[in-house]
Amino acid sequence: MINKIKESSQFIKNEFPSEIHSAIILGSGMGGFEKTFTPLKSFNYSEIPNFIKPSVEGHSGTMTFVEIKEKITVILSGRAHYYEGYNIQDIVLPTRVLSDLNIKNLIITNAAGGVNSNYSPGDIVALKDHINLTGNNPLIGKNIDEFGPRFPDMSEVYNHKFRKIAETVANDFFDYKEGVYAWFTGPTYETPAEVNFAKTIGADLVGMSTVPEAIVARHAGIDVTAFSLVTNLAAGISDSPLSHDEVIEIADKTSQTFQSFMKRFLEEINLAI
Ligand code: HPA
């Protein structure tokens, strides 16, 4: 695995040798965000060794380098999901590569189902913690000591200081909320009983991504911030059946607010680091 990571990061270092400060991985609702900046450099995932081309619509599968408040920021548009059948190590490879490129902070976005009854479709929620319900973990296997310890601390996965910045920025855009995200493998949406279970153990959101990326980033000491776009109420919280079309529709509707917020958030983060 380490050889694959090094091969990918070496390719990027050769093509774009500048120091990189921040990174963002875009989920549903953030597709096209990279196009709102002037790129310093851009790659298709298919050009980067070992990167998986995303199969889910709405994402281009590009890595774009931009400058925000004089800090180089890399935007990853599109991710592979565990439910697509890839090895979990390959899912987190781009995040591992980011850490090998010495990135100091990472923002992750996703679409999620709302479990907390105070949430409505279209809400943007900052993650305050997560619960891994998959029984898998991207750090299973030989530890890469160069990146981080065998038993990494996970007591503050989602950086408190950056969440405070998010709260301040959010004031201009939406009502700031925080929640706990439960990671299910998918690709099925959850059953009402599973959602009820997640709620009982403290989850506010359910989704199929983000947690593996957050785990390997924290392992490597990267500060993480993550946001869910609530595209639907989770199964059983509302009576209506779930569909991917509904997820896409709400994601598209909220996209403008999410992207405007994110631009300002990235500016503030880059000024703070
Ligand atoms: N469950 C899991 N993942 C999701 C959902 C959901 O209800 N909505 C969007 N992504």
Side-chain angles (χ1 to χ4, degrees):
M1 186 44 58
I2 183 80
N3 292 342
K4 278 170 106 175
I5 297 163
K6 295 282 177 194
E7 186 186 14
S8 311
S9 60
Q10 196 54 54
F11 168 85
I12 294 163
K13 283 179 200 165
N14 290 345
E15 299 284 327
F16 190 80
S18 311
E19 185 184 357
I20 306 159
H21 301 90
S22 301
I24 177 165
I25 300 174
L26 307 178
S28 302
M30 288 292 289
F33 182 61
E34 73 283 3
K35 297 199 181 83
T36 67
F37 297 90
T38 309
L40 301 170
K41 183 97 191 165
S42 180
F43 303 111
N44 283 320
Y45 285 179
S46 55
E47 294 174 77
I48 309 171
N50 311 314
F51 269 47
I52 299 167
K53 229 180 138 38
S55 68
V56 176
E57 61 185 287
H59 287 286
S60 46
T62 54
M63 186 176 210
T64 308
F65 296 84
V66 303
E67 191 176 307
I68 302 173
K69 295 288 174 198
E70 291 167 13
K71 304 259 167 57
I72 305 290
T73 304
V74 57
I75 305 173
L76 278 84
S77 178
R79 58 155 69 88
H81 297 84
Y82 189 42
Y83 60 72
E84 292 173 66
Y86 300 108
N87 188 309
I88 190 79
Q89 306 290 338
D90 291 321
I91 303 290
V92 297
L93 181 125
T95 312
R96 293 286 213 190
V97 169
L98 295 176
S99 75
D100 204 45
L101 293 169
N102 268 321
I103 276 153
K104 299 290 180 277
N105 84 82
L106 171 67
I107 298 159
I108 310 173
T109 80
N110 61 56
V115 174
N116 186 316
S117 47
N118 294 322
Y119 298 167
S120 309
D123 280 357
I124 295 162
V125 180
L127 269 58
K128 66 175 178 205
D129 206 344
H130 71 231
I131 302 171
N132 177 358
L133 289 175
T134 66
N136 204 338
N137 189 304
L139 298 180
I140 290 174
K142 189 170 161 36
N143 186 52
I144 307 178
D145 297 334
E146 182 191 327
F147 285 171
R150 170 76 290 186
F151 301 108
D153 174 51
M154 290 284 139
S155 52
E156 188 185 320
V157 178
Y158 304 95
N159 189 276
H160 192 256
K161 194 175 91 191
F162 291 165
R163 270 154 49 204
K164 284 281 155 215
I165 295 176
E167 182 169 10
T168 308
V169 174
N171 280 333
D172 291 340
F173 297 94
F174 51 83
D175 190 14
Y176 181 78
K177 295 182 171 114
E178 288 189 344
V180 174
Y181 176 100
W183 176 35
F184 286 82
T185 64
T188 49
Y189 289 113
E190 302 71 27
T191 63
E194 286 163 349
V195 170
N196 192 38
F197 164 67
K199 185 174 186 158
T200 305
I201 61 171
D204 301 297
L205 301 150
V206 287
M208 309 175 193
S209 69
T210 301
V211 170
E213 295 144 347
I215 289 173
V216 298
R218 278 312 296 145
H219 176 242
I222 295 172
D223 289 329
V224 178
T225 327
F227 299 92
S228 289
L229 168 59
V230 177
T231 50
N232 56 279
L233 296 178
I237 302 290
S238 128
D239 292 336
S240 55
L242 305 186
S243 78
H244 185 60
D245 289 347
E246 178 195 7
V247 169
I248 296 292
E249 187 194 321
I250 297 289
D252 286 348
K253 264 196 199 150
T254 319
S255 179
Q256 206 52 50
T257 310
F258 203 6
Q259 297 200 17
S260 305
F261 161 76
M262 198 55 75
K263 201 161 202 165
R264 275 276 312 284
F265 180 62
L266 275 168
E267 288 173 3
E268 295 300 327
I269 289 276
N270 281 352
L271 287 170
I273 59 173

